[in-house]
């Protein structure tokens, strides 16, 4: 059984490598096409970023409306600061926008909270694997707990205000 499992894993690995190699050329063409689209349609990086932030949030709003029409409540929070002005200026999404609560402060994004306390990132914490620091800017376990508590507090407040 173990040998069969290893053969299957080897086949999956080989197929993955083949896909990566076959897609390399295609991916480069898409990247080239993407750069040309940006160059030809936007006068600045900020204009492009704003366009795509708004486009992403418009798609999210449409998705939320479809899901909520089935009786499921949707909420969101953001890691990146770039989305904040769009979330605050969109009445529908702003009603569903969860802020981070930490150290008696409110943060509009995970990035703001990580700027306030960089030790909430794995790379800046004391976290180690086999004695070595880990270069990973994702959240620490403590930061995940803060995120969970922020979401729970939002939901509790929402329930109490109904």
């Amino acid at each position: 059984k173990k040998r069969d499992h290893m053969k299957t894993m080897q086949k999956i690995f080989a197929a993955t490598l083949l896909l990566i190699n076959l897609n390399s050329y295609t991916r480069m063409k898409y990247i080239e096409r993407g750069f040309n689209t940006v160059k030809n349609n936007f006068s600045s990086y900020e204009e492009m970023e704003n366009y795509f932030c708004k486009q992403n949030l418009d798609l999210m709003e449409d998705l939320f409306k479809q899901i909520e029409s089935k009786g499921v409540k949707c909420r969101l929070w953001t890691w990146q600061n770039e989305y904040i002005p769009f979330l605050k200026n969109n009445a529908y999404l702003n009603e569903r926008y969860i802020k981070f609560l930490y150290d008696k402060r409110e943060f509009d994004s995970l990035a703001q909270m990580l700027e306030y306390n960089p030790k909430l990132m794995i790379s800046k914490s004391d976290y180690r694997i086999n004695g070595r620091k880990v270069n990973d800017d994702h959240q620490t376990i403590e930061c995940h707990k803060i995120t969970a508590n922020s979401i729970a507090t939002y939901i509790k407040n929402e329930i109490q205000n109904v």
Side-chain angles (χ1 to χ4, degrees):
K1 257 187 170 179
K2 193 173 187 179
R3 181 172 284 163
D4 289 340
H5 178 71
M6 287 302 293
K7 283 183 180 179
T8 302
M9 293 305 292
Q10 287 172 338
K11 287 178 185 176
I12 292 170
F13 182 69
T16 303
L17 286 177
L18 180 62
L19 277 173
I20 290 170
N21 289 332
L22 289 174
N23 287 327
S24 297
Y25 176 78
T26 307
R27 235 181 285 135
M28 289 308 293
K29 286 295 178 187
Y30 278 119
I31 290 170
E32 183 180 317
R33 193 178 302 156
F35 280 127
N36 287 335
T37 300
V38 169
K39 182 176 72 178
N40 297 331
N41 292 300
F42 300 103
S43 60
S44 69
Y45 177 81
E46 185 177 80
E47 181 185 349
M48 178 198 68
E49 182 178 68
N50 289 343
Y51 173 83
F52 287 113
C53 283
K54 182 168 180 352
Q55 183 183 49
N56 287 340
L57 291 177
D58 287 347
L59 291 169
M60 183 170 287
E61 181 177 347
D62 291 343
L63 177 63
F64 276 22
K65 286 178 179 177
Q66 288 176 20
I67 293 169
E68 288 181 344
S69 73
K70 310 241 184 289
V72 178
K73 291 184 179 184
C74 298
R75 304 297 175 259
L76 75 151
W77 57 266
T78 182
W79 184 317
Q80 302 303 325
N81 292 328
E82 292 80 8
Y83 287 99
I84 295 169
F86 298 98
L87 289 168
K88 288 184 173 184
N89 291 321
N90 179 314
Y92 178 84
L93 292 176
N94 194 36
E95 286 180 16
R96 292 154 178 78
Y97 178 28
I98 299 172
K99 315 299 190 302
F100 293 87
L101 308 172
Y102 172 67
D103 201 24
K104 298 179 183 170
R105 297 172 189 239
E106 184 177 275
F107 298 92
D108 291 325
S109 69
L110 180 61
Q112 285 180 357
M113 190 168 67
L114 296 175
E115 286 171 27
Y116 174 76
N117 184 356
K119 289 200 175 229
L120 294 173
M121 282 186 281
I122 293 171
S123 63
K124 305 287 193 257
S125 70
D126 294 327
Y127 185 74
R128 295 176 184 278
I129 295 179
N130 297 326
R132 293 184 175 169
K133 293 220 20 107
V134 179
N135 273 340
D136 185 339
D137 288 339
H138 285 91
Q139 306 174 58
T140 61
I141 291 172
E142 178 188 359
C143 191
H144 277 283
K145 289 177 183 176
I146 294 165
T147 302
N149 289 334
S150 297
I151 294 168
T153 299
Y154 180 92
I155 292 170
K156 286 176 190 171
N157 291 339
E158 189 175 50
I159 290 169
Q160 290 173 352
N161 291 329
V162 170

